[in-house]
Amino acid sequence: MDHYRFIFARHGQSEHNRKRLLQGQFNSGLTSTGVRQAEALAEYLNNEGATFGRIITSPLERARHTAQIVADKLNAPLEINDNWKERHFGQGENKSYDDIRSWFKQNGHPTPFEPAFEDGESAWSIHQRAMQAIEHLLSLPVGSYLVVAHGHVFSVVIGLILGILPSGGRRPPVHLTAFDNT
């Protein structure tokens, strides 16, 4: 192979996904549905003949467990990398999506340099961490890699690849896409 091939896969359904709670860096495990999703992803990749130089994953349980299921099926080495952790949402973590919407209505959106939910990670910080994740990928030997992580960090990574930086002011941020589980 004379080029890179990166595949990004969001973790399987977690308990917090099922309950519709904001997770961030809270360590919510996979549901039985999430395990089946991870197994289906592994089976799909296996049937496609996919091989990876390694599978890189966030250390958070929902992503690490998903990645382990795939790594076991494909007999691929697993690398845990903190740069792929989900954004830390501070006081917003473990809150329902309805509570989150209410919080934004009351408080507005923070600037890119202010912490999320008063004590979480700023948009600028997650962008810096995502850039480190991209730089790490590009430091690997040319080959094929699977990254198993989280929706928000993937959106930031794709934004960086497209040249989109954190939005300024107190308007809602630009959302590129939503990533379904696996």
Side-chain angles (χ1 to χ4, degrees):
M1 175 177 276
D2 62 349
H3 61 277
Y4 285 106
R5 178 176 179 225
F6 300 114
I7 297 177
F8 298 142
R10 184 174 175 226
H11 58 79
Q13 182 191 59
S14 69
E15 287 294 334
H16 269 49
N17 292 146
R18 188 180 59 75
K19 294 176 183 176
R20 301 196 39 77
L21 299 173
L22 183 62
Q23 293 172 100
Q25 293 186 6
F26 182 80
N27 224 355
S28 180
L30 293 180
T31 63
S32 58
T33 297
V35 170
R36 285 192 304 277
Q37 289 170 332
E39 291 169 345
L41 174 63
E43 189 65 30
Y44 170 79
L45 292 169
N46 188 55
N47 289 343
E48 291 294 311
T51 59
F52 300 104
R54 73 183 76 159
I55 296 172
I56 301 162
T57 185
S58 157
L60 298 176
E61 175 63 23
R62 58 197 182 268
R64 191 199 51 72
H65 190 181
T66 300
Q68 188 67 60
I69 290 169
V70 176
D72 289 347
K73 178 74 173 181
L74 300 180
N75 196 29
L78 190 64
E79 174 187 315
I80 298 171
N81 185 309
D82 282 349
N83 286 324
W84 290 101
K85 284 191 295 192
E86 184 58 289
R87 183 176 180 182
H88 175 57
F89 289 107
Q91 294 177 37
E93 294 185 7
N94 297 309
K95 303 276 192 261
S96 73
Y97 293 141
D98 288 338
D99 289 344
I100 297 301
R101 278 189 288 281
S102 295
W103 190 92
F104 280 124
K105 283 181 183 175
Q106 181 178 353
N107 298 290
H109 290 272
T111 69
F113 304 102
E114 294 176 314
F117 303 100
E118 300 181 28
D119 61 348
E121 190 173 15
S122 72
W124 188 251
S125 292
I126 183 72
H127 275 74
Q128 289 175 311
R129 187 159 50 81
M131 181 56 75
Q132 291 173 349
I134 293 169
E135 288 173 347
H136 172 69
L137 289 179
L138 296 175
S139 75
L140 298 171
V142 170
S144 183
Y145 301 93
L146 173 66
V147 179
V148 180
H150 311 276
H152 189 88
V153 74
F154 281 149
S155 291
V156 172
V157 163
I158 290 171
L160 283 167
I161 291 168
L162 296 174
I164 301 171
L165 294 175
S167 58
R170 291 202 168 268
R171 65 180 192 265
V174 175
H175 290 287
L176 296 173
T177 185
F179 287 85
D180 288 334
N181 294 114
T182 62

